[in-house]
Amino acid sequence: MSDHTPPAGKTTPQPASEQGVPERAAAIAEGAKKSGILWLTLDRPRLAWHTWHDGAIYLVTGGEEQALPGLDALDRVHVTLRSKDNGARLVEFDATVSVVDQAASADVVAALAKDRLNARDSEHLPDRWARDCTIVRLTPEE
């Protein structure tokens, strides 16, 4: 047995980039659910709060919300999820970007509003977002 072989019955966790599709999808879902923030590679790395809902990541940008310039015009974006506890990188992946029709997506707007911390106008978030902001869906690519 070499020094690099785990003892029988033990497994060594694989880096996210080497995991199979089901394991990778599970790592993305778990990381996105546990952490309310992520990093996007745009004009520079950008920190953003988000909500995991129905198998995708949703973000609000524009107006009084977080500035994520050009995100809504992209087809794809690189996402990094980090541990809430120690900041370690959990998983990186590319995601398909699509703009959400807020009027047709009340469940998404409600999920985002629930997770939006410290909003000055919590009861009026949906109206303000509809008027001033863009909601973006990031769907992890397999």
Side-chain angles (χ1 to χ4, degrees), residues 15 26 35 44 79 88 90 98 108 116 136:
S35 178
R44 61 178 171 81
V79 180
L90 295 174
S98 57
V108 170
R116 175 63 170 96
V136 178

Side-chain angles (χ1 to χ4, degrees), residues 9-66:
K10 302 277 183 168
T11 59
T12 303
Q14 293 178 310
S17 61
E18 296 175 12
Q19 294 175 351
V21 173
E23 294 87 3
R24 185 168 177 77
I28 291 168
E30 184 75 12
K33 288 176 191 176
K34 285 189 173 181
S35 178
I37 59 170
L38 52 72
W39 288 93
L40 298 174
T41 303
L42 296 171
D43 56 333
R44 61 178 171 81
R46 300 258 182 180
L47 182 68
W49 70 271
H50 72 279
T51 295
W52 177 261
H53 179 73
D54 198 25
I57 292 169
Y58 291 88
L59 306 120
V60 180
T61 183
E64 295 178 29
E65 298 298 334
Q66 57 201 350

Side-chain angles (χ1 to χ4, degrees), residues 61-83:
T61 183
E64 295 178 29
E65 298 298 334
Q66 57 201 350
L68 302 170
L71 177 61
D72 57 343
L74 296 175
D75 293 325
R76 299 173 48 185
V77 68
H78 190 75
V79 180
T80 303
L81 295 172
R82 295 193 171 272
S83 168

Side-chain angles (χ1 to χ4, degrees), residues 83-140:
S83 168
K84 188 175 184 178
D85 298 329
N86 61 18
R89 184 184 63 183
L90 295 174
V91 65
E92 290 185 45
F93 57 94
D94 288 332
T96 303
V97 178
S98 57
V99 173
V100 173
D101 177 354
Q102 295 181 50
S105 303
D107 60 328
V108 170
V109 173
L112 281 160
K114 179 179 151 274
D115 287 348
R116 175 63 170 96
L117 303 177
N118 304 318
R120 67 170 178 79
D121 60 346
S122 297
E123 64 279 358
H124 301 292
L125 279 177
D127 294 332
R128 180 166 55 86
W129 288 347
R131 186 179 60 247
D132 301 333
C133 300
T134 302
I135 294 180
V136 178
R137 175 185 170 111
L138 305 181
T139 306

